Amino acid sequence: MSGTSLDGIDIALLDISTDPQTNRHSFHLHGSITHPFPDEVRSGLYDMIHGHTITTAQYSQMHTALALCYADAVRAGCAHIGKRVEDIGVIGLHGQTIWHEPIGQDFGNHLVRHTWQIGSPSTLAQILGIPVVGDLRSADMALGGQGAPLAPMFDYVFLSQPDAYVVALNIGGIANITLLPPNASEEHVIAFDTGPGNILSDLAMRKFYGKRYDSNGSAARAGQLLPKLMMSLQEEPFIIASPPKSTGRELFTPEYLDRALKYNYHEFQPAEDVIRTVAEFTGWSIAENIRRFGNPRCHIVAAGGGIHNPVIIETLLRELPDATYTTTEALGIPADAKEAMFFGYYAYRTLAGLHSNIPSVTGARKQAILGSISLA
């Protein structure tokens, strides 16, 4: 998995098994790592995602270059964990999202919903000699779904509880939640993107400090809330829109941040005040979605890089005083590896002929076996 934060390639190596009596799935995680992007690749991806001038040749080059980076990451992950590449049965590959348009537009006499994750699955399969399941969002979108979020099947299988209302929270570049009522059946699961995760903080850090992210929320911790900026951000329509809904860097762009700052920030104010405000806005927006569409008396189980920003988490829990909170670490799921784990799990489900989307979540017309299989 490599996400919108561009902080590296997450690798998880796990065994999935099915109990023959109950048909329930379980996993054993051997280990996980985050493998860094080469600087040139990260810089190129940033330009692509943010609409900078890129040639067709450069897109094509990156599609293959990413597969080579993913192969390096698999080798490094196996070496770190102490396993052989040759023993891997299948790779679940998300790829790098360049564009995601779930609503669609009329084009060529059709309503076209589209999503684009680059990083050639066929190239990766041939380099490593291992089957690869990639292109995991398109099937759901072809059925009228949003193609996101895709975490809910993993959340439903491994995080739901019989006697608690669980909110599975992931804070990556974008934040998303899965609502799991007690003893929920699959068709009662609801999940959606709530709005920004780390993305506005990352954009502000790049703008003011030339850094990629706010390490451990230290800049946010040093700042003060800017009330006018907070109120302006809270007017974002996506936050209160009803699910199903998904978003990404297509909405939360550098220009989006610049527009918010134009009338609500003055240059004499400390830059860390902006970092503080967007972090608090992120925590508020997650809580607001839980209040509106879930249950504020919930048990939050969180993962993703954003859990390391204490300002986001403190704001979230201040807004939801009746909620309890833990991370997925307590359940044997490293918070930074969860997404990589569920794409590995979905590769398993695809080879088993099982669906991995949940129509009540994405809005798709029916269940779908996700992904295309590239054979070695």
Side-chain angles (χ1 to χ4, degrees):
M1 172 68 188
S2 52
T4 54
S5 295
L6 299 178
D7 50 1
I9 302 164
D10 294 332
I11 294 293
L13 184 62
L14 64 161
D15 287 328
I16 304 291
S17 58
T18 303
D19 187 309
Q21 303 299 321
T22 64
N23 242 13
R24 291 184 62 84
H25 293 164
S26 60
F27 69 84
H28 171 72
L29 178 66
H30 293 284
S32 62
I33 67 164
T34 297
H35 186 73
F37 283 117
D39 290 342
E40 186 177 19
V41 172
R42 179 185 289 109
S43 177
L45 288 172
Y46 184 88
D47 288 344
M48 289 178 178
I49 290 169
H50 290 289
H52 298 178
T53 302
I54 301 293
T55 67
T56 304
Q58 288 172 306
Y59 276 113
S60 179
Q61 179 188 53
M62 186 65 80
H63 183 55
T64 298
L66 270 179
L68 302 177
C69 292
Y70 293 147
D72 290 341
V74 170
R75 296 187 187 104
C78 286
H80 176 80
I81 296 165
K83 298 293 182 180
R84 301 193 317 156
V85 173
E86 295 79 7
D87 292 335
I88 296 174
V90 63
I91 294 172
L93 174 67
H94 176 260
Q96 183 65 51
T97 297
I98 299 299
W99 193 260
H100 185 70
E101 177 52 67
I103 304 302
Q105 297 177 339
D106 290 325
F107 182 80
N109 299 321
H110 295 281
L111 176 63
V112 181
R113 299 178 178 89
H114 52 102
T115 187
W116 189 21
Q117 288 77 42
I118 64 173
S120 170
S122 294
T123 300
L124 180 61
Q126 294 304 320
I127 290 172
L128 294 180
I130 300 166
V132 175
V133 177
D135 191 21
L136 285 151
R137 298 187 186 271
S138 295
D140 183 83
M141 294 183 74
L143 294 168
Q146 297 259 323
L150 290 185
M153 180 61 77
F154 183 93
D155 293 338
Y156 172 68
V157 173
F158 297 117
L159 299 184
S160 57
Q161 298 180 16
D163 54 358
Y165 192 110
V166 175
V167 174
L169 166 64
N170 185 74
I171 311 176
I174 300 299
N176 55 71
I177 56 176
T178 303
L179 308 179
L180 300 164
N183 281 317
S185 57
E186 184 181 313
E187 60 268 22
H188 294 139
V189 175
I190 299 173
F192 49 91
D193 292 343
T194 61
N198 300 312
I199 191 167
L200 291 179
S201 177
D202 293 348
L203 288 172
M205 289 297 294
R206 183 180 286 267
K207 177 181 180 68
F208 291 109
Y209 299 109
K211 296 182 178 179
R212 292 192 293 111
Y213 60 94
D214 183 11
S215 179
N216 294 316
S218 57
R221 178 69 85 192
Q224 299 293 322
L225 180 72
L226 297 173
K228 282 185 63 179
L229 178 58
M230 183 69 162
M231 291 176 63
S232 174
L233 292 168
Q234 287 175 326
E235 294 175 355
E236 167 53 51
F238 182 86
I239 306 303
I240 62 172
S242 298
K245 58 179 179 176
S246 60
T247 189
R249 287 184 181 269
E250 301 76 28
L251 174 59
F252 298 106
T253 63
E255 293 75 23
Y256 181 98
L257 179 63
D258 289 342
R259 287 194 300 270
L261 295 178
K262 185 174 182 180
Y263 300 109
N264 303 293
Y265 170 74
H266 301 286
E267 291 185 358
F268 63 82
Q269 294 171 306
E272 55 263 31
D273 290 357
V274 175
I275 312 299
R276 174 80 185 209
T277 303
V278 298
E280 289 206 26
F281 169 61
T282 295
W284 172 85
S285 64
I286 297 167
E288 182 67 7
N289 275 271
I290 294 173
R291 278 192 293 260
R292 285 176 176 268
F293 309 114
N295 185 340
R297 296 177 178 272
C298 61
H299 179 55
I300 299 170
V301 182
I307 69 169
H308 304 302
N309 187 322
V311 175
I312 294 177
I313 302 304
E314 288 167 9
T315 304
L316 169 66
L317 297 180
R318 185 176 67 245
E319 293 285 333
L320 298 173
D322 294 323
T324 58
Y325 173 86
T326 190
T327 72
T328 56
E329 303 276 354
L331 303 175
I333 302 171
D336 294 328
K338 182 190 172 192
E339 288 185 296
M341 289 177 66
F342 71 64
F343 285 113
Y345 175 54
Y346 296 165
Y348 173 89
R349 291 183 66 94
T350 296
L351 294 187
L354 301 173
H355 71 283
S356 295
N357 69 330
I358 300 181
S360 62
V361 167
T362 65
R365 292 188 294 276
K366 63 177 184 177
Q367 298 170 342
I369 301 171
L370 299 185
S372 301
I373 303 170
S374 297
L375 299 176

